Amino acid sequence: IDCGIKFNILRMLTGLGCEVHVFPARASVNEIKGINPDGIFISNGPGDPAAVSYVAETVKHFFGILPVFGICLGHQILGLALGGRTYKLKFGHHGANHPVKDLINNRISITSQNHGFCVDMESLNAKEVELVNVNLNDCTLEGVRHKNWPVFSFQHHPESAPGPHDARYLFD
């Protein structure tokens, strides 16, 4: 679902062998189901995630049915779809040098970031959603995954265009 996708994301997905169909942010559930996808990807993009709450409503229909992956704005949209809230950061995260800790593998990646909003980690249901990444500069939420469904997202830009390649493994 295209919310402002970068070409490098499409290049990386096709490089991994994915057949990619790009849908506009206002695509309906039925339009997306019409191609019988193997998974859903919610792209990055600009602005306030609350302004595209309709994407969160669309995405909810695929939970428990298909794998769902979101990055940056897509992460924030997934946070809303999972029942969470978002808020505006005082200064935002901008640049190619943000340290992010993977809480599962105890690994730190240097990431590229460009956003002004964040998912409120306290607003997510801890029985359903696991926090998997945290920004080491300000301890804000950087990644989540659902405990029962293949649903996961990351705040930073793992497609690394521009920026470091530390988080590219997330596409695998």
Side-chain angles (χ1 to χ4, degrees):
I1 299 175
D2 181 6
C3 297
I5 197 162
K6 291 181 183 176
F7 183 73
N8 199 44
I9 294 168
L10 300 173
R11 186 179 318 132
M12 289 182 70
L13 290 170
T14 57
L16 289 168
C18 297
E19 181 180 318
V20 178
H21 298 262
V22 179
F23 288 90
R26 289 207 181 267
S28 71
V29 171
N30 288 335
E31 286 177 285
I32 297 169
K33 282 184 177 178
I35 65 159
N36 195 27
D38 294 323
I40 303 293
F41 176 81
I42 305 104
S43 82
N44 57 314
D48 183 349
V52 289
S53 59
Y54 52 88
V55 180
E57 290 302 316
T58 299
V59 169
K60 284 182 195 180
H61 290 278
F62 298 102
F63 288 171
I65 298 169
L66 292 173
V68 181
F69 176 28
I71 63 168
C72 198
L73 179 62
H75 162 74
Q76 297 162 12
I77 289 168
L78 274 177
L80 294 173
L82 290 167
R85 292 182 307 273
T86 58
Y87 63 93
K88 185 162 181 49
L89 293 164
K90 186 172 182 176
F91 299 109
H93 296 159
H94 307 284
N97 60 349
H98 288 260
V100 171
K101 184 171 184 178
D102 178 333
L103 301 173
I104 306 300
N105 299 310
N106 201 28
R107 175 178 172 171
I108 296 172
S109 297
I110 302 302
T111 65
S112 178
Q113 304 209 8
N114 188 25
H115 58 271
F117 291 84
C118 188
V119 176
D120 177 0
M121 66 178 79
E122 300 297 322
S123 69
L124 296 167
N125 182 344
K127 292 180 182 176
E128 296 179 0
V129 180
E130 181 176 19
L131 310 179
V132 296
N133 294 87
V134 65
N135 186 304
L136 293 179
N137 287 334
D138 61 7
C139 297
T140 55
L141 183 61
E142 288 279 339
V144 298
R145 70 180 179 191
H146 196 278
K147 291 182 178 181
N148 299 310
W149 303 325
V151 173
F152 59 105
S153 63
F154 302 95
Q155 179 64 72
H156 49 279
H157 292 273
E159 81 282 359
S160 62
H165 298 175
D166 290 10
R168 279 194 170 185
Y169 72 94
L170 297 170
F171 278 96
D172 294 333

